[in-house]
Amino acid sequence: MDDEPLAGSMTAELVGEGALLAALDQRRTGRMSTAISTLQSEQDEIIRAEATGPLIVQGGPGTGKTVVALHRVAYLLFAHRQMADQAVLVLGPSPRFLEYIAQVLPALGETAVVSATFDTLLTGTSVGRDESRLLAEIKGRALWQRALENYVTSLLPRPRELKLRWEGEFYVIAAATVAQALASAVQGRPYHRARAAFAEQLHHLLAEVVVEQREALMNEMEEGFEDILARVDRSMRHDHHPGGTSTGSDIDGLLSEEEIEHLRDRIAENATIARFIEAWWPTLDAETLLGDLLTAPTLLARFAPRLSPEEITAVSAEPAPWASSDIPLLDALADLLGEVDAPQPQGEFVADRARRQRGWVYGHVVIDEAQELSEMQWHMVLRRCPSRSITAVGDIDQAEAAHRHTSWAQAVQAVFGDRWTAAELTICYRTPREVMDLTAPVLKRAGSHNTPPRAVRSSGIAPWELTIAPAELADAAAQAVRQLQQRWHGGTVGVIAPADRIAELLAVPSEVPVLTATQSKGLEWDATLLVDPHGIAAEPRGWNGLYVALTRCTQELGQLILTQQSPYRGTPSPDGGRVPRTAGGGGGGS
């Protein structure tokens, strides 16, 4: 039995230390479990924070960012029942990550949740290619939002005199009247909704012109043919309304309000008028539009003037299909265009309806690994939650994406300005001290100015290294994995390697996941085999990636060094490096 006072300020002592450390020492299963019985004070404070604006949570590896974010979802859905009517969106870095966390919220009793990656968020669109970091960085800039807004605005029809044919006669709507109707229809509406609003006004305008022209014609006729018209009226009364009283055009040629309304309905249903509107204000497709823009240097120069000529050339040279950085651009265009005919979402549960509808507005959005988001991806988030009820968790020191920001302020400035709240998780629960001792020089090389989180536990197992020749990699990795699986039977083992080593390692038969540092984000295993750490460090933003790779284990870290100097020092011990537990936390030297 442990007392767990969640109120009050955090001290150096853990809350419910016995229960916490027992949970941390358990074997990993490949799925994240709930942590409701071991939550710490600083975690609980973030979980219960107000949801009135963006909350950005900085936390190093093993500080419980993800579990805090998920428990915050459960807390908010409980405390604010109206959120369940809108659903909560959880955005993760990869499908593997979403699979890893899939059981947490259902275990906490919450189902009004949609989980997605940014690549899968736009229904009906898929990523079909990789692209260079240069292009990813260019397309991620906030400048595209204004560029796409101006691009769509340029596609709106220009005011002019409209000549429409109705029942064999031509009717003219003056340019000034068209301009007024256009301005009224466009104000703040997406392209297709503005067109629908204009079409409705055009039906009324055409009906008015038809009525006015008919009345003018009748007035001209009446000036010379009053006597003839009287006889015609008497004849129409006799033919059409025997024994009754006639109204509207049956008496004097003028249309009643009911007849004018019927005329409008007929105009609205007329195929010829619909074809005219489609030709003058055509239906547009986001994918076609973006393809046209990105392959036309002249259009890029016109609508994205902040791009350099070299950047325009790089962007316009890219072929289809779409890359990850195109998805936020497509989403922005889809939002600016709007639905042609907005379908009514179907589904028994709110999450099903939200998942099917691109323009769904969520009650809250949670983002994991938020340090990787581009400015255009932040715009995707804001579109789905204009109330700004957003929780974003991440570690700016683990950022590997091509974007240039190195602080949270830089990351969110373009979308949120200064209107966001910062929070921090400072204690590392997952990664043992023996491994965290290795991270200080790596963080320094990554350019970090943050203090690494404080590890609160020791595994008693020193990190070990084994130096091998590149030709020995497959056999050495297979043997090391087998040894780790034996030592951590019932738990999990993961392999992390540079991108150019993945194919070679996957060729070795094994059920153990083999991932790049980027793919391993948010995941954890009992033991990690880190292959060629120097190769990871040599990748773009590689020191950040190496920091990620080092901190995925909960117990043991082994490294295979390929006949070269390790980028930092560890304790060689191919047999597992088990050392006795000490009061100071073990023998993993840095």
Side-chain angles (χ1 to χ4, degrees):
M1 185 178 248
D2 288 289
D3 288 331
E4 300 191 38
L6 295 177
S9 59
M10 187 68 187
T11 67
E13 299 300 322
L14 294 176
V15 176
E17 181 174 358
L20 174 66
L21 295 181
L24 294 176
D25 284 336
Q26 289 177 350
R27 295 288 196 268
R28 267 37 193 178
T29 64
R31 296 288 187 275
M32 177 175 281
S33 60
T34 64
I36 197 68
S37 63
T38 59
L39 287 172
Q40 299 298 295
S41 296
E42 69 174 7
Q43 296 175 326
D44 186 70
E45 184 176 345
I46 291 170
I47 288 170
R48 298 171 186 270
E50 291 296 321
T52 54
L55 175 65
I56 309 297
V57 181
Q58 162 65 29
T63 54
K65 299 182 295 296
T66 301
V67 79
V68 164
L70 296 178
H71 283 67
R72 177 164 168 77
V73 170
Y75 170 76
L76 292 175
L77 285 172
F78 175 81
H80 306 280
R81 292 299 185 183
Q82 70 277 12
M83 280 190 184
D85 297 331
Q86 297 176 272
V88 171
L89 175 63
V90 176
L91 291 167
S94 68
R96 181 183 289 272
F97 173 83
L98 295 179
E99 180 182 355
Y100 173 65
I101 67 170
Q103 297 178 8
V104 175
L105 288 170
L108 295 171
E110 303 302 342
T111 58
V113 178
V114 175
S115 298
T117 68
F118 280 91
D119 286 355
T120 62
L121 194 52
L122 189 56
T123 305
T125 304
S126 59
V127 173
R129 67 177 173 85
D130 296 325
E131 69 178 351
S132 69
R133 291 176 64 82
L134 171 64
L135 280 172
E137 189 278 320
I138 294 172
K139 291 182 184 176
R141 298 177 193 170
L143 65 87
W144 288 95
Q145 184 64 34
R146 177 59 62 84
L148 294 173
E149 289 171 1
N150 292 339
Y151 180 38
V152 171
T153 299
S154 75
L155 301 173
L156 293 170
R158 296 293 178 262
R160 67 174 176 84
E161 180 182 272
L162 298 183
K163 189 176 183 181
L164 298 97
R165 186 181 180 89
W166 174 253
E167 295 187 340
E169 298 292 335
F170 284 100
Y171 298 90
V172 175
I173 300 177
T177 303
V178 172
Q180 186 177 9
L182 266 175
S184 174
V186 168
Q187 51 181 340
R189 293 187 177 95
Y191 177 94
H192 290 124
R193 283 181 54 194
R195 187 184 72 160
F198 177 82
E200 185 176 350
Q201 291 191 57
L202 185 64
H203 300 152
H204 285 260
L205 291 172
L206 178 57
E208 289 176 3
V209 171
V210 170
V211 170
E212 289 172 1
Q213 194 160 315
R214 176 170 179 167
E215 291 178 350
L217 179 62
M218 293 303 297
N219 289 334
E220 291 177 6
M221 293 175 63
E222 287 177 356
E223 287 178 5
F225 301 102
E226 290 90 344
D227 196 45
I228 296 174
L229 285 172
R231 291 198 299 270
V232 170
D233 285 343
R234 285 194 297 272
S235 173
M236 292 175 65
R237 279 200 303 273
H238 176 76
D239 292 340
H240 297 291
H241 299 280
T245 302
S246 298
T247 59
S249 60
D250 290 338
I251 297 177
D252 54 12
L254 302 180
L255 297 179
S256 67
E257 285 299 321
E258 183 178 350
E259 289 170 320
I260 293 173
E261 187 64 32
H262 180 60
L263 173 62
R264 293 192 192 109
D265 292 341
R266 290 171 55 211
I267 291 173
E269 296 168 359
N270 185 266
T272 302
I273 299 298
R275 285 194 296 270
F276 176 87
I277 294 173
E278 176 65 30
W280 189 62
W281 194 328
T283 302
L284 299 177
D285 173 71
E287 294 198 21
T288 302
L289 276 185
L290 185 60
D292 292 343
L293 176 64
L294 296 183
T295 55
T298 54
L299 289 179
L300 288 171
R302 175 184 173 190
F303 295 111
R306 291 164 59 187
L307 295 179
S308 69
E310 294 76 18
E311 290 170 337
I312 289 175
T313 299
V315 169
S316 60
E318 278 298 297
W322 303 120
S324 289
S325 63
D326 293 316
I327 300 300
L329 306 186
L330 284 169
D331 189 66
L333 269 178
D335 184 69
L336 291 166
L337 293 177
E339 301 286 350
V340 179
D341 295 303
Q344 291 299 315
Q346 301 296 320
E348 181 180 359
F349 298 108
V350 64
D352 297 326
R353 300 198 301 272
R355 193 176 287 108
R356 290 190 181 100
Q357 193 172 13
R358 186 207 64 81
W360 187 272
V361 174
Y362 289 89
H364 193 77
V365 176
V366 169
I367 311 151
D368 206 320
E369 302 294 345
Q371 74 277 358
E372 305 298 341
L373 270 60
S374 69
E375 292 171 331
M376 287 304 293
Q377 286 175 321
W378 281 110
H379 273 294
M380 286 185 77
V381 173
L382 186 58
R383 262 177 235 117
R384 284 157 178 81
C385 192
S387 68
R388 303 189 177 208
S389 181
I390 297 165
T391 300
V393 301
D395 181 5
I396 204 69
D397 292 328
Q398 295 185 52
E400 293 181 89
H403 325 304
R404 296 175 177 175
H405 56 255
T406 57
S407 70
W408 287 113
Q410 293 172 348
V412 302
Q413 176 69 34
V415 178
F416 299 141
D418 297 326
R419 297 173 60 189
W420 57 281
T421 302
E424 187 173 7
L425 294 167
T426 62
I427 301 174
C428 175
Y429 306 100
R430 177 185 64 218
T431 311
R433 292 190 191 101
E434 292 86 350
V435 176
M436 286 304 294
D437 285 344
L438 299 177
T439 62
V442 175
L443 277 176
K444 185 176 181 180
R445 293 293 296 269
S448 171
H449 299 288
N450 295 322
T451 302
R454 176 172 59 87
V456 297
R457 56 185 283 272
S458 169
S459 67
I461 305 170
W464 54 265
E465 297 177 1
L466 178 64
T467 301
I468 60 172
E472 301 172 323
L473 176 58
D475 290 340
Q479 182 179 357
V481 166
R482 285 194 297 270
Q483 293 174 350
L484 290 172
Q485 287 178 309
Q486 290 171 3
R487 285 197 289 276
W488 299 104
H489 180 69
T492 58
V493 176
V495 177
I496 304 177
D500 59 3
R501 299 284 182 187
I502 296 295
E504 180 181 1
L505 292 168
L506 286 174
V508 180
S510 174
E511 297 179 356
V512 169
V514 179
L515 307 173
T516 65
T518 299
Q519 293 168 338
S520 72
K521 284 190 174 183
L523 304 180
E524 64 179 21
W525 303 281
D526 292 280
T528 301
L529 180 66
L530 181 52
V531 174
D532 188 13
H534 188 76
I536 293 176
E539 293 177 332
R541 295 191 80 161
W543 291 100
N544 300 83
L546 184 56
Y547 180 53
V548 173
L550 284 169
T551 54
R552 297 305 96 195
C553 70
T554 65
Q555 303 291 346
E556 180 176 352
L557 172 68
Q559 302 177 75
L560 297 183
I561 311 298
L562 301 186
T563 57
Q564 59 191 12
Q565 179 93 20
S566 171
Y568 45 81
R569 294 182 299 149
T571 305
S573 182
D575 64 354
R578 294 181 180 273
V579 297
R581 290 183 181 270
T582 68
S590 63

